[in-house]
Amino acid sequence: MSDKRILSKKTTLRGEIDVPGDKSISHRAVMFGALAEGKTTIEHFLTGEDCLSTISCFKKMGVDIQLDGDTVTVNGKGINGLEEPSDILDVGNSGTTTRLMLGILAGRPFHTCIIGDESIAKRPMDRVTIPLKMMGAYIDGRHEGRFTPISTRGGKLKGIEYHSPVASAQVKSAILLAGLQADGTTSVTEPHKSRDHTERMLQKFGVKVVEDGNTVRIEGGQKLKGQHVYVPGDISSAAFFLVAGAITPNSEITLTNVGINPTRTGILEVLQRMGAEIEIIEKSNEAEPIADIIVKTSELKATQIDGELIPRLIDEIPIIALLATQAKGTTVIKDAAELKVKETNRIDTVVRELRKLGANIEATDDGMIIHGDTQLTGGVTVSSHGDHRIGMMLAIASLICEHSIELEGYEAISVSYPSFFDHLNKLVTSQ
Ligand code: SPQ
């Protein structure tokens, strides 16, 4: 990794940030626009690398997609309008693109070959290929279809009742997207409810989806109709500045138009429980609820994070670990073994990199234990390990380290937050 940045302590952060569009919702808006009949316009789209990979894959399947600033226009020709790509579909670093697209391709009567980067090649795909094969799809890949490169030739699908061993929106969404193309009813039941952007957006595009506790059902053969989608700010990106505001002295930050879908707001509950001074000003509540959030420097106390809360803050655990280093007492995070199969093993990378900075943190089998109220020292080189969320967590940690740090692999941040350093600089300079 050759890209490096020196980052140093800051005494105050002030100002307002318009957080970029939600990554999960941006992916889905392009995909559902491609499956729909007619025009879909997407406003406040996230132009991070992951979402650009989704656009590129669907363009290769013959979909007319135009990107202008952060507005996307998709001219969908319906699900039968997708064409066999003449080239491989490269998903880059994006697990969401891979898994949701597999659900769509499961029912398409043509051949595709999906590849991604080194990190994607290590992430388990059998969590979606197993149920999709049960539905009748022809899918194969490295290690008996568990890893990319993966090839698909869609089959005639039949509905299944699937009980997922993990709470995963990617698994749930892949099965629902295959279910749309299947004979009969498809249902997915999860141990805990994962983010529900697919269910909300399918309904917006005119599809009937029935939700009953942790079970979601869909009837095959329904059609999608093009829509206008406004993508709220990504709460997973906002989380970095919510924590920055709480732990940096003399700070007050306003984050505007942040999505506060209850399946994603675990971070807000944890901040409140830990004593952070935050104010949530709700603004609108259409397909996805939105709020402005204000955070101030706060006295923090430790907490325990587990159970149904985990899928509601899974991507925020790296930055919550940093928050916990500044809280009085010991914070315990458990039931989070899913962290091991993200862009990196996020239990290992968080513990390893925060320890280098002087944190008192231990890894467990399914989470971590953080002994708080620690002065982070810094004065070392840390690495993102190519994982955007680890890179941003370390950049926020630098704000409170005694000595400056060198961050290796900062470019990974553009996967989900290309304007991250511009926003950080804005908060440092707008006193
Ligand atoms: O897309 P990708 O690479 O899987 O991205 C991550 C992230 O940190 O941005 C996970 F590494 O977010 C996932 C999230 O963890 C995005 C997502 C979605 O859009 O459906 C769901 C979650 O994954 P999962 O496996 O729990 O379904």
Side-chain angles (χ1 to χ4, degrees):
M1 236 166 274
S2 57
D3 55 312
K4 291 179 182 162
R5 249 178 204 248
I6 305 289
L7 301 164
S8 56
K9 188 170 177 170
K10 301 289 176 283
T11 48
T12 173
L13 296 176
R14 290 196 174 251
E16 190 175 291
I17 299 281
D18 176 34
V19 180
D22 186 278
K23 178 159 79 69
S24 296
I25 298 175
S26 296
H27 281 301
R28 286 160 172 80
V30 170
M31 292 186 189
F32 298 179
L35 302 184
E37 280 162 17
K39 182 161 137 183
T40 289
T41 46
I42 310 166
E43 213 188 313
H44 201 234
F45 178 78
L46 172 66
T47 53
E49 283 167 14
D50 270 13
C51 300
L52 298 180
S53 296
T54 293
I55 291 186
S56 146
C57 289
F58 281 84
K59 275 186 165 177
K60 284 186 181 170
M61 288 188 273
V63 185
D64 172 23
I65 306 175
Q66 311 291 335
L67 175 65
D68 179 10
D70 65 358
T71 300
V72 178
T73 309
V74 186
N75 290 302
K77 289 187 281 183
I79 196 156
N80 294 322
L82 292 185
E83 294 164 12
E84 182 171 81
S86 55
D87 194 1
I88 49 174
L89 300 175
D90 187 348
V91 298
N93 187 246
S94 176
T96 310
T97 310
T98 320
R99 297 198 178 111
L100 269 61
M101 200 165 65
L102 278 168
I104 293 168
L105 294 174
R108 294 300 82 216
F110 52 69
H111 171 262
T112 70
C113 179
I114 301 174
I115 60 154
D117 67 7
E118 261 175 65
S119 151
I120 279 293
K122 292 188 198 135
R123 295 180 69 185
M125 295 301 156
D126 49 346
R127 52 180 56 201
V128 294
T129 56
I130 289 171
L132 295 175
K133 284 188 208 169
M134 283 162 60
M135 296 176 81
Y138 296 99
I139 301 179
D140 207 350
R142 204 162 46 88
H143 289 272
E144 276 122 38
R146 295 210 310 275
F147 299 106
T148 58
I150 285 186
S151 59
T152 70
R153 179 175 294 284
K156 184 169 161 43
L157 305 180
K158 59 176 190 308
I160 53 168
E161 270 181 34
Y162 191 68
H163 289 259
S164 174
V166 285
S168 159
Q170 294 178 358
V171 171
K172 174 174 62 178
S173 303
I175 297 170
L176 292 175
L177 291 167
L180 256 185
Q181 308 170 70
D183 283 341
T185 310
T186 297
S187 73
V188 190
T189 304
E190 314 183 82
H192 296 298
K193 193 173 167 76
S194 63
R195 65 190 69 187
D196 66 357
H197 305 301
T198 294
E199 296 89 305
R200 286 173 186 250
M201 201 184 290
L202 279 175
Q203 292 180 63
K204 185 174 168 70
F205 277 74
V207 172
K208 191 171 167 219
V209 176
V210 179
E211 294 176 66
D212 176 10
N214 294 342
T215 300
V216 187
R217 277 188 197 82
I218 197 165
E219 281 299 320
Q222 301 187 67
K223 290 200 163 45
L224 284 75
K225 203 165 172 309
Q227 297 295 321
H228 175 77
V229 179
Y230 171 79
V231 182
D234 196 328
I235 191 163
S236 297
S237 300
F240 294 98
F241 291 112
L242 288 169
V243 170
I247 64 176
T248 310
N250 314 309
S251 297
E252 178 168 339
I253 303 174
T254 302
L255 299 157
T256 56
N257 299 319
V258 180
I260 52 159
N261 177 319
T263 60
R264 298 282 298 281
T265 47
I267 176 70
L268 300 180
E269 286 169 38
V270 164
L271 278 161
Q272 279 164 334
R273 246 202 243 166
M274 292 177 80
E277 279 191 58
I278 57 170
E279 191 185 343
I280 303 164
I281 306 155
E282 291 185 30
K283 291 176 87 172
S284 68
N285 193 352
E286 288 162 27
E288 294 281 352
I290 294 171
D292 289 347
I293 307 176
I294 302 167
V295 62
K296 295 182 188 160
T297 311
S298 313
E299 289 275 317
L300 300 163
K301 56 178 188 291
T303 190
Q304 171 145 334
I305 302 168
D306 55 16
E308 65 80 35
L309 198 51
I310 295 295
R312 296 176 52 232
L313 48 62
I314 188 74
D315 297 338
E316 287 65 78
I317 292 177
I319 193 67
I320 289 172
L322 171 66
L323 180 73
T325 68
Q326 303 308 301
K328 285 203 168 61
T330 297
T331 295
V332 178
I333 302 175
K334 48 185 209 171
D335 304 326
E338 273 294 294
L339 289 174
K340 295 179 180 172
V341 291
K342 298 297 180 185
E343 283 82 329
T344 55
N345 175 336
R346 287 182 178 161
I347 297 181
D348 282 1
T349 46
V350 165
V351 169
R352 192 181 324 162
E353 298 307 309
L354 277 177
R355 269 195 186 161
K356 286 188 197 166
L357 297 178
N360 186 350
I361 177 168
E362 302 155 42
T364 63
D365 257 3
D366 66 347
M368 46 195 105
I369 299 173
I370 307 118
H371 307 283
D373 217 5
T374 314
Q375 171 61 59
L376 299 183
T377 45
V380 289
T381 298
V382 288
S383 172
S384 72
H385 297 268
D387 184 333
H388 53 130
R389 302 215 186 271
I390 303 298
M392 286 186 275
M393 180 275 282
L394 293 168
I396 299 300
S398 74
L399 302 171
I400 55 162
C401 282
E402 262 175 325
H403 307 288
S404 50
I405 66 168
E406 182 181 57
L407 172 60
E408 260 181 10
Y410 73 86
E411 281 173 359
I413 291 172
S414 52
V415 154
S416 65
Y417 202 158
S419 51
F420 175 79
F421 284 110
D422 293 341
H423 285 180
L424 186 55
N425 287 338
K426 183 179 164 197
L427 295 175
V428 172
T429 51
S430 58
Q431 311 298 332

